[in-house]
Amino acid sequence: MTMPADCEIDAARLREALAKALAENGALTDPAWRAAVETVPRHRFVPGFYLPDDERDGQGLTVWQPVTATLNYGRWLAAAYSDATLITQFDGEEPNWEAPAARHGGAPTSSSTLPSLVVRMWADADVQEGQTVLEIGTGTGYSTALACERLDSASVTSIEVDPHRLDQAGSALYGLGYTPTLAVADGVYGYWPEAHFDRIVAACSFRAVPSALLAQSRPGGKILLTLSGWLYGYARVLLTVAEDGTAEGPLLGGTVSFMSARTHAAPAFGNPTHWAAGLPEKARMARHSPERITAATEEAFHLRFLAQSAVPDAQMTTVGEVVHLVDVVTGSAATLTPDGDGWQVREGGPVRLWERIENVLDTYDATDRPGPETFRLHVYDGGQHLRHPQMPGLPLLRP
């Protein structure tokens, strides 16, 4: 793909503007990270990406338009230096950026994370000179390049489960003179050949903290990752690893979400009406509306994660006005149907899914609605528990 002659001049100007904007909004406070943002050419890592149309197609699917320098140079370069996540792959299918086509729907499986979050993650993990770092999820390689610029390439190991993604990222990194250790590997298992690490930072999410990451951390090392699950509740956690191999640390604030590690992705569950057909006819009035965990608010974002910890194998979908909860592990299911000012609940199977969620919401309300920063995750041999001084009995997290 041939670039206009003045591309690098335009890109340098936009990088400087991006760094300034990130500094002004408080996302970029460390001068060394600001220098990295001003130096690393993000456009070299995103030869193509997708941006959504304003309107959906006739089936209600999001239409994703390809953006490249050839198709629209100005739009491509401006987006590359915007503080936005750029989707680079859907459903694990590698695009042909020489002849790209629009996408209708699909699940994003790779992206270039928005720069403010990238630098925030490195800063939250307290990455400093002289430390060795494992990055899980190379993606486009932009985040890897920032780490190489801030530290040095010899200190950085980055792994990616998708060989095509890693090949493209490696070409961009090596083309710019960055030479980190790169490998195709599943982040659930870390990367033993380069262990042990001072810092591990994951750009994907996990259902629970992989034990391999604790084993590959030095005592006193820190692990920053995002916990998620099949209800798509998210929470970031910063763990410090102890001498005995256990770890603990706080949940961090904010509404950050990442794509799941591919081996932790939710399974297909079939037709929701098939699950509902096996439920008892008798219903009860719900104590809480499903909107408590589905609303577009920061509190609902937090509550969905807490609810997920109570029913870790549950998935949720809405058909018409009916909310379905299904659990492919135990065979349990529940439906919530609007009824006037409330909701009717029908539940079946060994786990009363909505009742478990309601119990968490009851406790949350009774303890003055504590924020994520007041919870701590404890990881030890045989268990992972989310704990809060006012909310005893929180469920065990498990993959």
Side-chain angles (χ1 to χ4, degrees), residues 255 292-293 295 297-304 364-365 369:
T255 55
R292 289 291 305 275
I293 63 172
T297 66
E298 192 162 331
E299 182 182 59
F301 189 92
H302 173 46
L303 282 177
R304 184 179 284 225
Y364 172 80
D365 290 340
R369 303 184 174 190

Coordinates of all heavy atoms in Angstrom, one line a residue, residues 255 292-293 295 297-304 364-365 369:
T255 N -15.0 1.6 33.5 CA -15.9 0.7 32.7 C -15.1 0.2 31.5 O -15.3 0.6 30.4 CB -17.2 1.4 32.3 OG1 -16.8 2.6 31.6 CG2 -18.0 1.7 33.5
R292 N -31.3 -3.6 36.4 CA -30.3 -3.3 37.4 C -28.9 -3.7 36.9 O -27.9 -3.1 37.2 CB -30.5 -4.1 38.7 CG -31.7 -3.7 39.5 CD -31.5 -2.3 40.2 NE -30.3 -2.2 41.0 CZ -30.2 -2.5 42.3 NH1 -31.2 -3.1 42.9 NH2 -29.0 -2.3 43.0
I293 N -28.8 -4.7 36.0 CA -27.5 -5.1 35.5 C -27.3 -4.9 34.0 O -26.3 -5.2 33.4 CB -27.2 -6.6 35.8 CG1 -28.2 -7.5 35.1 CG2 -27.3 -6.9 37.3 CD1 -27.9 -9.0 35.2
A295 N -28.6 -1.8 32.4 CA -28.7 -0.4 32.1 C -27.3 0.2 31.7 O -26.2 -0.4 32.0 CB -29.2 0.4 33.2
T297 N -25.2 2.3 32.6 CA -24.7 3.1 33.7 C -23.4 2.4 34.3 O -23.2 1.2 34.2 CB -25.7 3.3 34.8 OG1 -26.0 2.1 35.5 CG2 -27.0 3.9 34.3
E298 N -22.6 3.2 35.0 CA -21.4 2.7 35.6 C -21.8 1.7 36.7 O -21.1 0.7 36.9 CB -20.5 3.8 36.1 CG -19.1 3.3 36.5 CD -18.2 4.5 36.6 OE1 -18.3 5.5 35.9 OE2 -17.2 4.4 37.4
E299 N -22.8 2.0 37.5 CA -23.3 1.1 38.5 C -23.7 -0.3 37.9 O -23.4 -1.3 38.5 CB -24.4 1.7 39.4 CG -24.8 0.8 40.5 CD -25.9 1.3 41.3 OE1 -27.0 1.6 40.8 OE2 -25.8 1.5 42.6
A300 N -24.5 -0.2 36.9 CA -25.0 -1.5 36.3 C -23.8 -2.3 35.7 O -23.8 -3.5 35.8 CB -26.0 -1.2 35.1
F301 N -22.8 -1.6 35.2 CA -21.6 -2.3 34.7 C -20.9 -3.0 35.8 O -20.5 -4.2 35.7 CB -20.6 -1.2 34.1 CG -19.4 -1.7 33.4 CD1 -19.4 -2.0 32.1 CD2 -18.2 -2.0 34.1 CE1 -18.3 -2.4 31.4 CE2 -17.1 -2.5 33.4 CZ -17.2 -2.7 32.1
H302 N -20.8 -2.4 37.0 CA -20.2 -3.0 38.2 C -21.1 -4.2 38.7 O -20.7 -5.3 39.0 CB -20.1 -2.0 39.3 CG -19.6 -2.5 40.6 ND1 -18.6 -3.4 40.8 CD2 -20.1 -2.1 41.9 CE1 -18.5 -3.6 42.1 NE2 -19.4 -2.9 42.7
L303 N -22.4 -3.9 38.7 CA -23.4 -5.0 39.2 C -23.4 -6.2 38.3 O -23.6 -7.3 38.8 CB -24.8 -4.4 39.3 CG -25.0 -3.5 40.5 CD1 -26.4 -2.9 40.5 CD2 -24.8 -4.2 41.8
R304 N -23.2 -6.0 37.0 CA -23.2 -7.2 36.2 C -22.1 -8.1 36.5 O -22.2 -9.3 36.5 CB -23.2 -6.7 34.7 CG -23.3 -7.9 33.7 CD -23.2 -7.5 32.3 NE -24.5 -6.9 31.9 CZ -25.1 -7.2 30.7 NH1 -24.6 -8.1 29.9 NH2 -26.2 -6.6 30.4
Y364 N -25.8 -6.1 48.2 CA -25.2 -4.8 47.7 C -26.0 -3.6 48.1 O -25.4 -2.6 48.6 CB -25.2 -4.9 46.1 CG -24.8 -3.6 45.4 CD1 -23.4 -3.3 45.3 CD2 -25.7 -2.8 44.8 CE1 -23.0 -2.2 44.6 CE2 -25.3 -1.7 44.2 CZ -24.0 -1.3 44.1 OH -23.6 -0.2 43.4
D365 N -27.3 -3.6 48.0 CA -28.1 -2.5 48.4 C -28.1 -2.3 50.0 O -28.1 -1.2 50.4 CB -29.6 -2.7 48.0 CG -29.8 -2.6 46.5 OD1 -28.9 -2.0 45.8 OD2 -30.8 -3.1 46.0
R369 N -24.2 0.1 48.7 CA -23.8 0.0 47.3 C -22.3 0.3 47.1 O -21.9 1.3 46.5 CB -24.6 1.0 46.4 CG -26.1 0.7 46.5 CD -26.9 1.6 45.6 NE -28.3 1.2 45.6 CZ -29.3 1.7 44.8 NH1 -28.9 2.6 43.9 NH2 -30.5 1.2 44.8

